[in-house]
Amino acid sequence: MIDNRKSSSVGFFLFFAVLLLASILVIVYGTNEKKSLMYSGEYVAQGQDETIDVKYFEDHGEAFKIGANSQGKPVFVDPQVALEALKTDYKTGVNLIKEEFKLAELSDKSYREYLKKGKKVSGGSENAKRQAQFVVEFLEVYDNSFADDFNIKLPY
């Protein structure tokens, strides 16, 4: 006769061992993926669809310096510094998007809502609208530094 308690505890142990291994793989792979999307070298345009005006961003300040990630996509050399500079230097545009669409503070967690909604800004002064447009352009580049869950890119 087979002892059910023994086979049940072996199954339980195997389940948790596989779960632990899978968790470790996800953590290691996820960390490497995030690092590969950060700045890794000079940006070189790869085609008309991938072209970005590096000078345009750099003319807005040193914090907006453009480089490339390991996939060759344009990214900010230091995305956190760039985001803080955006929130300070383009506060009027950020606030216009925030207030018009009742969004949370702009952060690395909420920026996709600003990117999506910012394209639909209708109110505000001409200066605020210009700043909001720059915020959207900034966030399109900023987004290249981050992977969505399961590497699914949002359609905007």
Side-chain angles (χ1 to χ4, degrees):
M1 184 186 290
I2 298 175
D3 185 0
N4 283 338
R5 286 181 291 167
K6 201 176 217 179
S7 73
S8 156
S9 65
V10 169
F12 184 74
F13 173 76
L14 233 71
F15 171 76
F16 279 105
V18 169
L19 186 62
L20 178 65
L21 180 62
S23 298
I24 290 170
L25 289 174
V26 166
I27 290 169
V28 169
Y29 174 74
T31 302
N32 288 338
E33 180 66 22
K34 285 181 182 178
K35 285 181 183 174
S36 75
L37 295 176
M38 295 298 177
Y39 169 75
S40 65
E42 185 179 343
Y43 172 72
V44 178
Q46 298 175 352
Q48 285 185 324
D49 293 339
E50 292 291 322
T51 301
I52 184 169
D53 187 351
V54 173
K55 186 172 176 355
Y56 170 74
F57 283 98
E58 292 177 358
D59 284 348
H60 285 83
E62 182 65 28
F64 303 113
K65 186 170 174 53
I66 298 286
N69 63 20
S70 64
Q71 299 172 352
K73 292 186 177 185
V75 294
F76 293 104
V77 171
D78 188 332
Q80 289 312 110
V81 167
L83 182 63
E84 290 307 313
L86 179 80
K87 289 167 33 177
T88 301
D89 298 349
Y90 295 88
K91 189 174 190 167
T92 303
V94 170
N95 285 338
L96 176 61
I97 298 168
K98 178 185 176 187
E99 291 168 10
E100 189 165 323
F101 298 102
K102 298 179 183 15
L103 300 177
E105 291 294 321
L106 178 60
S107 71
D108 60 346
K109 306 284 187 251
S110 68
Y111 78 90
R112 285 193 176 108
E113 282 299 310
Y114 279 79
L115 178 56
K116 186 169 60 173
K117 304 282 187 183
K119 294 178 181 182
K120 302 173 186 174
V121 165
S122 60
S125 68
E126 286 306 311
N127 179 52
K129 286 179 186 177
R130 273 193 304 277
Q131 283 198 17
Q133 177 60 38
F134 181 76
V135 170
V136 169
E137 293 166 352
F138 169 93
L139 294 174
E140 287 172 340
V141 174
Y142 183 79
D143 190 46
N144 290 335
S145 292
F146 302 96
D148 294 315
D149 292 339
F150 309 109
N151 289 325
I152 298 170
K153 283 302 223 178
L154 296 175
Y156 51 78

